[in-house]
Protein backbone atom coordinates (compact mmCIF):
# COMPACT_ATOMS: atom_id res chain seq x y z
CA UNK A 1 0.00 0.00 0.00
CA UNK A 2 2.79 2.38 0.90
CA UNK A 3 4.54 1.54 -2.35
CA UNK A 4 1.37 2.31 -4.33
CA UNK A 5 0.98 5.63 -2.53
CA UNK A 6 4.58 6.54 -3.29
CA UNK A 7 4.07 5.72 -6.96
CA UNK A 8 0.89 7.81 -7.09
CA UNK A 9 2.67 10.73 -5.45
CA UNK A 10 5.50 10.44 -7.94
CA UNK A 11 3.06 10.53 -10.85
CA UNK A 12 1.27 13.46 -9.23
CA UNK A 13 4.53 15.42 -8.97
CA UNK A 14 5.68 14.49 -12.46
CA UNK A 15 2.27 15.24 -13.96
CA UNK A 16 2.09 18.67 -12.37
CA UNK A 17 5.69 19.46 -13.32
CA UNK A 18 5.29 18.72 -17.02
CA UNK A 19 1.72 19.98 -17.34
CA UNK A 20 2.90 23.16 -15.62
CA UNK A 21 5.79 23.55 -18.05
CA UNK A 22 3.34 23.14 -20.93
CA UNK A 23 0.70 25.52 -19.57
CA UNK A 24 2.33 28.13 -17.30
CA UNK A 25 2.76 30.59 -20.18
CA UNK A 26 -0.94 30.24 -20.98
CA UNK A 27 -1.80 30.93 -17.35
CA UNK A 28 0.27 34.11 -17.39
CA UNK A 29 -1.29 35.25 -20.66
CA UNK A 30 -4.80 34.67 -19.30
CA UNK A 31 -4.19 36.72 -16.16
CA UNK A 32 -2.74 39.68 -18.07
CA UNK A 33 -5.33 39.59 -20.86
CA UNK A 34 -8.16 39.23 -18.34
CA UNK A 35 -7.20 42.56 -16.78
CA UNK A 36 -7.10 44.19 -20.22
CA UNK A 37 -10.58 42.84 -20.96
CA UNK A 38 -11.91 44.57 -17.85
CA UNK A 39 -11.52 47.87 -19.70
CA UNK A 40 -11.47 47.08 -23.44
CA UNK A 41 -14.14 44.78 -24.84
CA UNK A 42 -14.02 42.95 -28.15
CA UNK A 43 -15.31 45.22 -30.96
CA UNK A 44 -19.09 45.14 -31.23
CA UNK A 45 -21.67 47.42 -32.81
CA UNK A 46 -24.43 48.30 -30.35
CA UNK A 47 -27.95 49.18 -31.43
CA UNK A 48 -27.47 52.80 -30.36
CA UNK A 49 -24.20 53.06 -32.30
CA UNK A 50 -25.86 51.67 -35.42
CA UNK A 51 -28.76 54.10 -35.16
CA UNK A 52 -26.49 57.07 -34.53
CA UNK A 53 -25.02 56.54 -38.01
CA UNK A 54 -28.41 56.59 -39.77
CA UNK A 55 -29.92 59.62 -41.54
CA UNK A 56 -33.44 60.76 -40.70
CA UNK A 57 -36.14 58.80 -42.49
CA UNK A 58 -37.22 60.56 -45.69
CA UNK A 59 -40.96 60.08 -45.15
CA UNK A 60 -41.86 61.76 -48.43
CA UNK A 61 -40.08 59.00 -50.34
CA UNK A 62 -41.82 56.10 -48.59
CA UNK A 63 -44.18 54.84 -51.29
CA UNK A 64 -44.49 51.23 -50.17
CA UNK A 65 -46.56 50.17 -47.17
CA UNK A 66 -45.32 47.56 -44.66
CA UNK A 67 -47.99 45.16 -45.97
CA UNK A 68 -46.71 45.55 -49.51
CA UNK A 69 -43.11 45.04 -48.36
CA UNK A 70 -44.06 41.79 -46.62
CA UNK A 71 -45.90 40.66 -49.77
CA UNK A 72 -42.80 41.34 -51.89
CA UNK A 73 -40.77 39.33 -49.38
CA UNK A 74 -43.19 36.44 -49.82
CA UNK A 75 -44.02 36.08 -46.13
CA UNK A 76 -46.77 33.74 -45.00
CA UNK A 77 -46.70 34.93 -41.35
CA UNK A 78 -45.67 38.07 -39.52
CA UNK A 79 -41.85 38.24 -39.40
CA UNK A 80 -39.62 38.21 -36.39
CA UNK A 81 -38.50 41.74 -37.25
CA UNK A 82 -39.82 44.46 -39.57
CA UNK A 83 -38.00 47.80 -39.68
CA UNK A 84 -38.09 50.93 -41.83
CA UNK A 85 -34.77 52.73 -42.11
CA UNK A 86 -32.53 54.44 -44.65
CA UNK A 87 -29.99 53.02 -47.09
CA UNK A 88 -28.09 56.25 -47.75
CA UNK A 89 -30.89 58.43 -49.24
CA UNK A 90 -33.35 55.61 -49.96
CA UNK A 91 -35.90 54.36 -47.37
CA UNK A 92 -35.93 50.57 -47.12
CA UNK A 93 -37.68 47.86 -45.15
CA UNK A 94 -35.45 45.42 -43.27
CA UNK A 95 -37.22 42.09 -42.78
CA UNK A 96 -36.02 39.16 -40.68
CA UNK A 97 -38.26 36.15 -41.04
CA UNK A 98 -38.31 33.31 -38.52
CA UNK A 99 -36.31 31.17 -40.90
CA UNK A 100 -34.27 32.02 -43.94
CA UNK A 101 -32.06 35.00 -44.78
CA UNK A 102 -32.84 38.62 -43.97
CA UNK A 103 -34.34 40.67 -46.79
CA UNK A 104 -34.13 44.33 -47.75
CA UNK A 105 -37.01 45.82 -49.75
CA UNK A 106 -36.91 49.31 -51.25
CA UNK A 107 -39.72 51.49 -49.90
CA UNK A 108 -39.47 53.55 -53.11
CA UNK A 109 -39.52 50.97 -55.90
CA UNK A 110 -40.66 47.84 -54.08
CA UNK A 111 -37.65 45.94 -55.43
CA UNK A 112 -35.67 43.50 -53.33
CA UNK A 113 -32.12 44.74 -52.67
CA UNK A 114 -29.65 41.86 -52.64
CA UNK A 115 -26.37 43.70 -53.13
CA UNK A 116 -24.92 47.20 -53.07
CA UNK A 117 -21.98 48.79 -54.82
CA UNK A 118 -18.81 50.10 -53.23
CA UNK A 119 -20.00 53.65 -53.95
CA UNK A 120 -23.22 53.00 -52.05
CA UNK A 121 -21.30 51.56 -49.11
CA UNK A 122 -19.06 54.62 -49.09
CA UNK A 123 -22.15 56.87 -49.10
CA UNK A 124 -23.60 54.94 -46.15
CA UNK A 125 -20.37 55.41 -44.17
CA UNK A 126 -20.39 59.17 -44.79
CA UNK A 127 -23.47 59.50 -42.55
CA UNK A 128 -21.54 58.25 -39.54
CA UNK A 129 -21.07 61.03 -36.95
CA UNK A 130 -17.32 60.24 -36.74
CA UNK A 131 -16.78 60.54 -40.51
CA UNK A 132 -14.07 63.15 -41.25
CA UNK A 133 -12.26 62.00 -44.38
CA UNK A 134 -13.71 58.59 -45.28
CA UNK A 135 -11.64 56.22 -47.41
CA UNK A 136 -12.85 52.97 -48.91
CA UNK A 137 -10.21 50.36 -47.99
CA UNK A 138 -11.75 47.57 -50.06
CA UNK A 139 -13.71 44.43 -49.33
CA UNK A 140 -13.17 41.91 -46.55
CA UNK A 141 -14.36 38.33 -46.66
CA UNK A 142 -13.30 37.53 -43.11
CA UNK A 143 -10.80 39.16 -40.78
CA UNK A 144 -9.88 39.22 -37.10
CA UNK A 145 -12.83 41.38 -36.10
CA UNK A 146 -15.51 39.91 -38.39
CA UNK A 147 -14.54 36.28 -37.93
CA UNK A 148 -17.71 34.94 -36.27
CA UNK A 149 -20.53 33.24 -38.15
CA UNK A 150 -23.04 35.98 -37.34
CA UNK A 151 -21.55 38.03 -40.19
CA UNK A 152 -21.87 35.22 -42.75
CA UNK A 153 -25.15 36.52 -44.20
CA UNK A 154 -23.52 39.93 -44.79
CA UNK A 155 -20.28 38.85 -46.48
CA UNK A 156 -18.32 40.12 -48.21
CA UNK A 157 -18.02 43.33 -46.19
CA UNK A 158 -16.93 46.75 -47.40
CA UNK A 159 -14.32 48.28 -45.10
CA UNK A 160 -14.32 52.07 -44.76
CA UNK A 161 -11.81 54.14 -42.78
CA UNK A 162 -13.59 57.23 -41.43
CA UNK A 163 -10.37 59.24 -41.16
CA UNK A 164 -11.10 60.44 -37.63
CA UNK A 165 -8.63 60.77 -34.75
CA UNK A 166 -9.83 57.48 -33.24
CA UNK A 167 -9.05 55.51 -36.38
CA UNK A 168 -12.63 54.26 -36.70
CA UNK A 169 -13.30 51.64 -39.37
CA UNK A 170 -16.77 50.58 -40.48
CA UNK A 171 -17.83 47.24 -41.93
CA UNK A 172 -20.77 47.64 -44.33
CA UNK A 173 -22.69 44.62 -45.58
CA UNK A 174 -22.38 44.20 -49.35
CA UNK A 175 -25.79 42.50 -49.37
CA UNK A 176 -27.97 44.82 -47.28
CA UNK A 177 -25.98 48.04 -47.05
CA UNK A 178 -26.22 48.07 -43.25
CA UNK A 179 -23.30 48.94 -40.99
CA UNK A 180 -22.71 45.69 -39.09
CA UNK A 181 -19.51 46.43 -37.16
CA UNK A 182 -17.20 49.24 -36.15
CA UNK A 183 -13.74 49.19 -34.62
CA UNK A 184 -11.38 51.86 -33.34
CA UNK A 185 -7.61 51.90 -33.25
CA UNK A 186 -7.76 51.68 -29.46
CA UNK A 187 -9.88 48.52 -29.64
CA UNK A 188 -7.78 46.91 -32.35
CA UNK A 189 -4.50 47.43 -30.49
CA UNK A 190 -5.63 46.48 -26.99
CA UNK A 191 -7.58 43.42 -28.08
CA UNK A 192 -4.32 41.80 -29.16
CA UNK A 193 -3.41 41.95 -25.47
CA UNK A 194 -6.95 41.21 -24.27
CA UNK A 195 -9.73 39.17 -25.85
CA UNK A 196 -7.68 37.56 -28.65
CA UNK A 197 -5.12 35.75 -26.45
CA UNK A 198 -7.66 35.24 -23.65
CA UNK A 199 -10.21 33.48 -25.88
CA UNK A 200 -7.55 32.00 -28.23
CA UNK A 201 -9.42 34.03 -30.83
CA UNK A 202 -7.05 33.76 -33.80
CA UNK A 203 -8.87 34.00 -37.13
CA UNK A 204 -7.39 30.80 -38.54
CA UNK A 205 -8.89 28.88 -35.59
CA UNK A 206 -12.02 30.90 -34.77
CA UNK A 207 -13.39 30.67 -38.31
CA UNK A 208 -14.08 27.01 -37.59
CA UNK A 209 -16.38 27.42 -34.58
CA UNK A 210 -16.70 23.71 -33.60
CA UNK A 211 -12.92 23.22 -33.80
CA UNK A 212 -12.24 26.40 -31.82
CA UNK A 213 -14.70 25.32 -29.12
CA UNK A 214 -13.05 21.91 -28.76
CA UNK A 215 -9.57 23.48 -28.60
CA UNK A 216 -10.65 25.86 -25.82
CA UNK A 217 -12.43 23.10 -23.89
CA UNK A 218 -9.42 20.77 -24.00
CA UNK A 219 -6.82 23.44 -23.24
CA UNK A 220 -8.80 24.87 -20.32
CA UNK A 221 -9.49 21.32 -19.12
CA UNK A 222 -5.76 20.49 -19.05
CA UNK A 223 -5.07 23.79 -17.25
CA UNK A 224 -7.77 22.93 -14.73
CA UNK A 225 -6.02 19.61 -13.98
CA UNK A 226 -2.73 21.49 -13.62
CA UNK A 227 -4.24 23.90 -11.09
CA UNK A 228 -5.89 21.10 -9.11
CA UNK A 229 -2.73 19.01 -8.94
CA UNK A 230 -0.79 22.10 -7.87
CA UNK A 231 -3.15 22.72 -4.95
CA UNK A 232 -2.89 19.06 -3.93
CA UNK A 233 0.92 19.10 -3.99
CA UNK A 234 1.01 22.48 -2.25
CA UNK A 235 -1.02 21.11 0.66
CA UNK A 236 1.06 17.94 0.83
CA UNK A 237 4.28 19.96 1.06
CA UNK A 238 2.99 22.75 3.29
CA UNK A 239 4.19 22.78 6.88
CA UNK A 240 0.85 23.82 8.30
CA UNK A 241 1.05 21.60 11.42
CA UNK A 242 4.75 20.88 11.65
CA UNK A 243 6.78 23.82 10.42
CA UNK A 244 10.06 23.50 8.60
CA UNK A 245 13.33 24.94 9.88
CA UNK A 246 13.01 28.52 11.01
CA UNK A 247 9.24 28.20 11.29
CA UNK A 248 8.85 28.18 7.52
CA UNK A 249 5.65 26.93 5.84
CA UNK A 250 7.51 25.78 2.74
CA UNK A 251 10.59 23.60 2.35
CA UNK A 252 11.57 25.46 -0.81
CA UNK A 253 13.60 28.60 -1.43
CA UNK A 254 13.78 31.16 -4.18
CA UNK A 255 11.35 30.84 -7.07
CA UNK A 256 10.12 27.47 -5.80
CA UNK A 257 9.13 29.09 -2.52
CA UNK A 258 7.29 31.89 -4.34
CA UNK A 259 5.49 29.31 -6.44
CA UNK A 260 4.56 27.16 -3.46
CA UNK A 261 3.33 29.93 -1.15
CA UNK A 262 1.67 31.84 -3.99
CA UNK A 263 -0.11 28.68 -5.06
CA UNK A 264 -1.35 28.11 -1.52
CA UNK A 265 -2.75 31.64 -1.42
CA UNK A 266 -4.14 32.00 -4.96
CA UNK A 267 -4.53 28.36 -5.99
CA UNK A 268 -8.25 28.10 -5.27
CA UNK A 269 -8.98 31.28 -7.25
CA UNK A 270 -6.85 30.02 -10.15
CA UNK A 271 -8.73 26.71 -10.11
CA UNK A 272 -12.18 28.36 -10.00
CA UNK A 273 -11.18 30.67 -12.86
CA UNK A 274 -10.07 27.69 -14.93
CA UNK A 275 -13.16 25.66 -14.05
CA UNK A 276 -15.60 28.50 -14.72
CA UNK A 277 -13.89 29.33 -18.02
CA UNK A 278 -14.17 25.67 -19.00
CA UNK A 279 -17.86 25.63 -18.06
CA UNK A 280 -18.50 28.77 -20.13
CA UNK A 281 -17.91 26.67 -23.25
CA UNK A 282 -20.85 24.43 -22.28
CA UNK A 283 -19.00 21.11 -22.34
CA UNK A 284 -21.21 18.06 -22.89
CA UNK A 285 -24.03 20.40 -23.90
CA UNK A 286 -24.42 21.88 -20.44
CA UNK A 287 -26.10 25.31 -20.39
CA UNK A 288 -27.16 24.87 -24.03
CA UNK A 289 -29.75 27.38 -25.23
CA UNK A 290 -33.38 26.52 -25.62
CA UNK A 291 -34.97 25.64 -28.96
CA UNK A 292 -37.17 27.57 -31.35
CA UNK A 293 -39.36 30.19 -29.63
CA UNK A 294 -41.14 31.49 -32.73
CA UNK A 295 -44.52 30.00 -31.84
CA UNK A 296 -44.35 31.35 -28.30
CA UNK A 297 -43.43 34.83 -29.53
CA UNK A 298 -46.29 34.89 -32.02
CA UNK A 299 -48.73 33.88 -29.30
CA UNK A 300 -47.39 36.82 -27.29
CA UNK A 301 -47.86 39.10 -30.31
CA UNK A 302 -51.45 37.93 -30.71
CA UNK A 303 -51.17 38.33 -34.50
CA UNK A 304 -49.91 35.89 -37.10
CA UNK A 305 -50.83 37.27 -40.53
CA UNK A 306 -48.23 39.38 -42.43
CA UNK A 307 -50.31 42.56 -42.11
CA UNK A 308 -50.11 45.86 -40.23
CA UNK A 309 -51.91 49.08 -41.13
CA UNK A 310 -50.14 52.43 -40.89
CA UNK A 311 -51.96 55.72 -41.54
CA UNK A 312 -50.46 59.05 -42.77
CA UNK A 313 -50.50 60.79 -39.33
CA UNK A 314 -47.45 58.75 -38.39
CA UNK A 315 -45.34 60.46 -41.04
CA UNK A 316 -43.44 63.73 -40.98
CA UNK A 317 -41.80 63.12 -37.64
CA UNK A 318 -38.31 64.71 -37.65
CA UNK A 319 -35.38 63.00 -36.00
CA UNK A 320 -36.69 59.45 -36.46
CA UNK A 321 -33.97 57.15 -37.85
CA UNK A 322 -35.71 53.80 -37.54
CA UNK A 323 -39.26 52.48 -37.20
CA UNK A 324 -40.10 49.01 -35.97
CA UNK A 325 -43.54 47.58 -36.67
CA UNK A 326 -44.58 45.21 -33.88
CA UNK A 327 -47.61 43.44 -32.47
CA UNK A 328 -48.20 42.98 -28.73
CA UNK A 329 -51.29 41.19 -27.44
CA UNK A 330 -53.11 41.77 -30.71
CA UNK A 331 -52.33 45.51 -30.79
CA UNK A 332 -50.16 47.06 -33.48
CA UNK A 333 -47.45 49.44 -32.26
CA UNK A 334 -44.78 51.54 -33.89
CA UNK A 335 -41.47 51.90 -32.07
CA UNK A 336 -39.80 55.09 -33.27
CA UNK A 337 -36.06 55.22 -32.60
CA UNK A 338 -34.26 58.56 -32.44
CA UNK A 339 -30.61 59.31 -33.03
CA UNK A 340 -30.03 60.22 -29.38
CA UNK A 341 -30.92 56.67 -28.37
CA UNK A 342 -34.43 57.45 -27.13
CA UNK A 343 -37.50 55.58 -28.31
CA UNK A 344 -41.16 56.53 -28.49
CA UNK A 345 -44.14 54.21 -28.87
CA UNK A 346 -47.06 55.39 -31.01
CA UNK A 347 -50.30 54.11 -32.46
CA UNK A 348 -49.88 53.25 -36.19
CA UNK A 349 -53.23 54.78 -37.13
CA UNK A 350 -53.54 57.95 -35.04
CA UNK A 351 -49.85 58.60 -34.44
CA UNK A 352 -50.62 59.32 -30.76
CA UNK A 353 -48.40 58.04 -27.97
CA UNK A 354 -49.45 54.58 -26.90
CA UNK A 355 -48.61 52.22 -24.06
CA UNK A 356 -50.12 48.98 -22.86
CA UNK A 357 -50.96 48.48 -19.20
CA UNK A 358 -48.72 46.25 -17.14
CA UNK A 359 -51.66 43.96 -16.37
CA UNK A 360 -52.23 43.49 -20.08
CA UNK A 361 -48.54 42.74 -20.65
CA UNK A 362 -48.58 40.12 -17.90
CA UNK A 363 -51.65 38.51 -19.51
CA UNK A 364 -49.91 38.52 -22.92
CA UNK A 365 -46.77 37.04 -21.37
CA UNK A 366 -48.88 34.21 -19.98
CA UNK A 367 -49.56 33.12 -23.58
CA UNK A 368 -45.87 32.37 -24.06
CA UNK A 369 -46.43 29.12 -22.20
CA UNK A 370 -50.12 28.27 -22.33
CA UNK A 371 -51.26 25.84 -19.68
CA UNK A 372 -48.22 26.57 -17.51
CA UNK A 373 -48.87 28.36 -14.19
CA UNK A 374 -47.33 31.80 -13.84
CA UNK A 375 -45.36 31.90 -10.60
CA UNK A 376 -43.84 35.37 -10.74
CA UNK A 377 -45.13 38.84 -11.66
CA UNK A 378 -42.57 41.44 -10.74
CA UNK A 379 -41.60 44.98 -11.68
CA UNK A 380 -37.91 45.74 -11.23
CA UNK A 381 -36.97 49.37 -10.69
CA UNK A 382 -33.36 48.63 -9.74
CA UNK A 383 -30.83 46.00 -10.88
CA UNK A 384 -30.80 42.73 -8.97
CA UNK A 385 -28.78 39.49 -8.95
CA UNK A 386 -29.95 38.38 -12.39
CA UNK A 387 -30.72 41.67 -14.21
CA UNK A 388 -27.84 44.06 -13.75
CA UNK A 389 -25.80 46.46 -15.86
CA UNK A 390 -22.21 45.61 -14.96
CA UNK A 391 -21.25 44.18 -18.37
CA UNK A 392 -24.44 44.81 -20.36
CA UNK A 393 -26.83 47.67 -20.94
CA UNK A 394 -30.09 46.65 -19.27
CA UNK A 395 -33.30 48.63 -19.57
CA UNK A 396 -35.03 49.60 -16.35
CA UNK A 397 -37.73 49.43 -15.19
CA UNK A 398 -38.49 45.95 -16.48
CA UNK A 399 -41.21 43.36 -15.86
CA UNK A 400 -40.15 39.86 -14.87
CA UNK A 401 -42.52 36.96 -15.46
CA UNK A 402 -41.82 33.48 -14.07
CA UNK A 403 -43.34 30.13 -15.08
CA UNK A 404 -43.65 26.76 -13.37
CA UNK A 405 -42.39 24.81 -16.38
CA UNK A 406 -39.67 22.17 -16.26
CA UNK A 407 -36.95 24.78 -16.94
CA UNK A 408 -38.36 27.32 -14.43
CA UNK A 409 -38.35 30.00 -17.14
CA UNK A 410 -38.25 33.75 -16.59
CA UNK A 411 -39.12 36.35 -19.24
CA UNK A 412 -38.21 40.05 -19.12
CA UNK A 413 -40.61 42.56 -20.72
CA UNK A 414 -40.15 46.28 -21.35
CA UNK A 415 -43.21 47.97 -19.76
CA UNK A 416 -42.87 50.97 -22.11
CA UNK A 417 -42.87 49.13 -25.43
CA UNK A 418 -43.98 45.59 -24.60
CA UNK A 419 -40.78 44.18 -26.14
CA UNK A 420 -39.39 40.95 -24.74
CA UNK A 421 -35.90 41.92 -23.63
CA UNK A 422 -34.60 38.59 -22.42
CA UNK A 423 -35.20 34.99 -21.42
CA UNK A 424 -33.76 33.05 -18.54
CA UNK A 425 -34.19 29.58 -17.08
CA UNK A 426 -32.71 27.51 -14.28
CA UNK A 427 -29.71 26.59 -16.44
CA UNK A 428 -28.95 30.24 -17.25
CA UNK A 429 -29.26 31.22 -13.60
CA UNK A 430 -26.90 28.44 -12.54
CA UNK A 431 -24.47 29.62 -15.21
CA UNK A 432 -24.73 33.12 -13.80
CA UNK A 433 -23.17 31.84 -10.54
CA UNK A 434 -20.75 29.34 -12.05
CA UNK A 435 -19.40 31.77 -14.65
CA UNK A 436 -20.37 35.38 -13.96
CA UNK A 437 -19.79 35.06 -10.22
CA UNK A 438 -16.73 32.78 -10.20
CA UNK A 439 -15.06 34.00 -13.40
CA UNK A 440 -16.06 37.67 -13.66
CA UNK A 441 -16.61 38.20 -9.91
CA UNK A 442 -20.05 39.69 -10.53
CA UNK A 443 -20.84 39.68 -6.84
CA UNK A 444 -23.36 42.21 -5.45
CA UNK A 445 -21.02 43.92 -2.92
CA UNK A 446 -18.35 44.39 -5.61
CA UNK A 447 -20.44 45.52 -8.59
CA UNK A 448 -22.43 47.89 -6.40
CA UNK A 449 -19.19 49.74 -5.64
CA UNK A 450 -17.23 49.55 -8.85
CA UNK A 451 -13.77 50.48 -7.52
CA UNK A 452 -14.02 47.52 -5.13
CA UNK A 453 -14.57 45.15 -8.07
CA UNK A 454 -11.52 46.55 -9.92
CA UNK A 455 -9.28 46.29 -6.86
CA UNK A 456 -10.28 42.72 -6.00
CA UNK A 457 -10.05 41.34 -9.55
CA UNK A 458 -6.72 43.05 -10.31
CA UNK A 459 -5.24 41.92 -6.98
CA UNK A 460 -6.26 38.31 -7.59
CA UNK A 461 -4.99 38.50 -11.17
CA UNK A 462 -1.61 39.73 -9.93
CA UNK A 463 -1.48 36.85 -7.44
CA UNK A 464 -2.25 34.41 -10.23
CA UNK A 465 0.37 36.08 -12.44
CA UNK A 466 2.97 35.68 -9.70
CA UNK A 467 2.23 31.93 -9.48
CA UNK A 468 2.39 31.66 -13.29
CA UNK A 469 5.59 33.71 -13.64
CA UNK A 470 7.36 31.66 -10.98
CA UNK A 471 6.20 28.51 -12.78
CA UNK A 472 7.67 29.84 -16.04
CA UNK A 473 11.05 30.42 -14.38
CA UNK A 474 11.03 27.01 -12.66
CA UNK A 475 9.93 25.28 -15.89
CA UNK A 476 12.58 27.04 -17.95
CA UNK A 477 15.32 26.05 -15.52
CA UNK A 478 14.12 22.44 -15.58
CA UNK A 479 14.16 22.37 -19.39
CA UNK A 480 17.65 23.91 -19.51
CA UNK A 481 18.96 21.22 -17.13
Amino acid sequence: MRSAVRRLKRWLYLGHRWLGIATCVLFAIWFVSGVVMMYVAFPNLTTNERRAALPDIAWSRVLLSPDQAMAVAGLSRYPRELRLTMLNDEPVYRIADWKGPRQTISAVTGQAITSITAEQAFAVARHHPAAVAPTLLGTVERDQWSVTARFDSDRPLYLVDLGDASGTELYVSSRSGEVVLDTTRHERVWNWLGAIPHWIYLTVLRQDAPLWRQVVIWISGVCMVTAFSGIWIGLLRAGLRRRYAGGRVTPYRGWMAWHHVGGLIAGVVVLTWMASGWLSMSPFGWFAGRGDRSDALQRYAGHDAPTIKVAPPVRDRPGVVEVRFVWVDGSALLLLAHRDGSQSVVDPISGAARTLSEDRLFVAAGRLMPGTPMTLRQRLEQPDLYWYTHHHQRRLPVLRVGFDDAAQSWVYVDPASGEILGWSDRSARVRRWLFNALHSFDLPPLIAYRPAWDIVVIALSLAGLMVSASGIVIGWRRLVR
Side-chain angles (χ1 to χ4, degrees):
M1 186 65 182
R2 289 178 180 176
S3 176
V5 169
R6 283 197 299 269
R7 284 197 298 271
L8 287 174
K9 281 188 176 181
R10 175 171 172 75
W11 281 109
L12 176 66
Y13 280 72
L14 287 173
H16 180 72
R17 174 187 298 167
W18 293 106
L19 286 177
I21 289 174
T23 61
C24 56
V25 174
L26 275 175
F27 276 102
I29 289 172
W30 278 334
F31 288 119
V32 173
S33 59
V35 172
V36 174
M37 289 176 66
M38 292 168 62
Y39 305 102
V40 184
F42 195 77
N44 180 47
L45 183 72
T46 67
T47 299
N48 286 342
E49 288 172 339
R50 178 180 60 78
R51 289 172 177 168
L54 291 172
D56 291 358
I57 291 177
W59 295 103
S60 61
R61 300 199 63 199
V62 178
L63 306 180
L64 203 71
S65 70
D67 286 4
Q68 292 170 321
M70 287 187 282
V72 172
L75 303 184
S76 59
R77 62 193 299 195
Y78 203 79
R80 178 168 54 89
E81 182 180 79
L82 175 60
R83 298 180 284 131
L84 175 66
T85 185
M86 296 295 290
L87 173 55
N88 188 26
D89 58 355
E90 181 180 7
V92 295
Y93 288 99
R94 310 283 191 185
I95 301 174
D97 202 2
W98 298 101
K99 295 180 181 179
R102 293 172 176 266
Q103 298 186 63
T104 300
I105 308 298
S106 171
V108 180
T109 66
Q111 298 296 312
I113 297 173
T114 57
S115 64
I116 65 166
T117 65
E119 290 73 19
Q120 287 176 302
F122 184 71
V124 167
R126 281 195 310 229
H127 291 287
H128 196 281
V132 175
T135 304
L136 182 65
L137 300 180
T139 59
V140 172
E141 186 63 38
R142 189 187 305 269
D143 68 1
Q144 184 64 58
W145 318 113
S146 62
V147 65
T148 58
R150 67 189 180 93
F151 297 107
D152 286 352
S153 60
D154 296 300
R155 304 185 199 279
L157 305 170
Y158 291 110
L159 183 61
V160 182
D161 184 345
L162 297 185
D164 62 332
S166 298
T168 305
E169 293 180 357
L170 297 186
Y171 292 73
V172 182
S173 169
S174 65
R175 301 188 184 183
S176 68
E178 277 202 288
V179 176
V180 296
L181 179 66
D182 65 351
T183 70
T184 64
R185 185 183 303 108
H186 177 81
E187 290 174 328
R188 294 191 296 273
V189 170
W190 281 104
N191 265 276
W192 283 102
L193 300 176
I196 294 173
H198 197 85
W199 294 338
I200 316 178
Y201 226 57
L202 300 173
T203 304
V204 66
L205 178 63
R206 186 62 184 88
Q207 64 186 353
D208 187 338
L211 174 62
W212 168 77
R213 180 174 172 274
Q214 289 299 318
V215 167
V216 175
I217 286 175
W218 280 99
I219 288 178
S220 56
V222 170
C223 289
M224 189 166 55
V225 172
T226 305
F228 179 77
S229 60
I231 294 173
W232 192 352
I233 293 171
L235 292 174
L236 288 175
R237 298 294 289 160
L240 299 179
R241 292 183 179 179
R242 298 177 60 184
R243 297 298 176 91
Y244 293 97
R248 294 165 56 84
V249 176
T250 177
Y252 305 111
R253 295 188 180 277
W255 282 105
M256 282 291 291
W258 281 101
H259 191 69
H260 185 202
V261 176
L264 289 173
I265 295 172
V268 173
V269 174
V270 173
L271 178 60
T272 56
W273 266 338
M274 292 302 109
S276 56
W278 180 74
L279 288 171
S280 72
M281 301 304 297
S282 189
F284 310 112
W286 299 341
F287 314 116
R290 299 189 66 187
D292 184 16
R293 294 193 178 110
S294 58
D295 290 339
L297 291 173
Q298 296 225 273
R299 286 194 298 269
Y300 176 78
H303 184 87
D304 184 70
T307 57
I308 187 169
K309 299 301 180 185
V310 181
V314 177
R315 302 189 176 211
D316 300 325
R317 290 175 178 264
V320 175
V321 297
E322 185 174 78
V323 181
R324 284 182 292 156
F325 306 85
V326 303
W327 288 90
V328 178
D329 192 33
S331 293
L333 299 174
L334 299 190
L335 310 183
L336 309 182
H338 306 271
R339 185 170 290 103
D340 61 3
S342 63
Q343 178 176 269
S344 53
V345 185
V346 303
D347 185 275
I349 301 301
S350 67
R354 176 92 183 272
T355 57
L356 302 181
S357 70
E358 291 187 10
D359 286 340
R360 186 173 174 184
L361 292 176
F362 280 124
V363 170
R367 297 196 192 96
L368 290 166
M369 297 185 182
T372 303
M374 187 182 294
T375 58
L376 182 64
R377 290 170 50 130
Q378 186 178 20
R379 177 185 171 95
L380 296 180
E381 298 284 350
Q382 300 295 330
D384 72 353
L385 292 174
Y386 298 100
W387 190 263
Y388 56 95
T389 58
H390 185 47
H391 302 289
H392 310 280
Q393 291 299 317
R394 304 283 198 189
R395 291 190 210 172
L396 286 166
V398 68
L399 305 181
R400 180 155 59 199
V401 185
F403 296 92
D404 190 26
D405 61 321
Q408 294 294 295
S409 300
W410 288 357
V411 179
Y412 293 90
V413 180
D414 184 350
S417 65
E419 295 175 90
I420 293 180
L421 302 178
W423 295 71
S424 174
D425 57 19
R426 185 193 297 110
S427 175
R429 293 191 289 277
V430 169
R431 188 182 187 278
R432 181 260 183 270
W433 292 106
L434 293 181
F435 179 73
N436 297 94
L438 293 180
H439 202 82
S440 303
F441 271 67
D442 286 356
L443 303 172
L446 298 182
I447 61 179
Y449 304 98
R450 177 61 195 269
W453 179 79
D454 295 72
I455 292 169
V456 168
V457 176
I458 291 175
L460 292 174
S461 298
L462 289 174
L465 180 60
M466 184 268 288
V467 177
S468 305
S470 59
I472 292 172
V473 174
I474 296 167
W476 174 252
R477 288 176 176 177
R478 169 67 61 173
L479 290 175
V480 168
R481 287 203 299 271

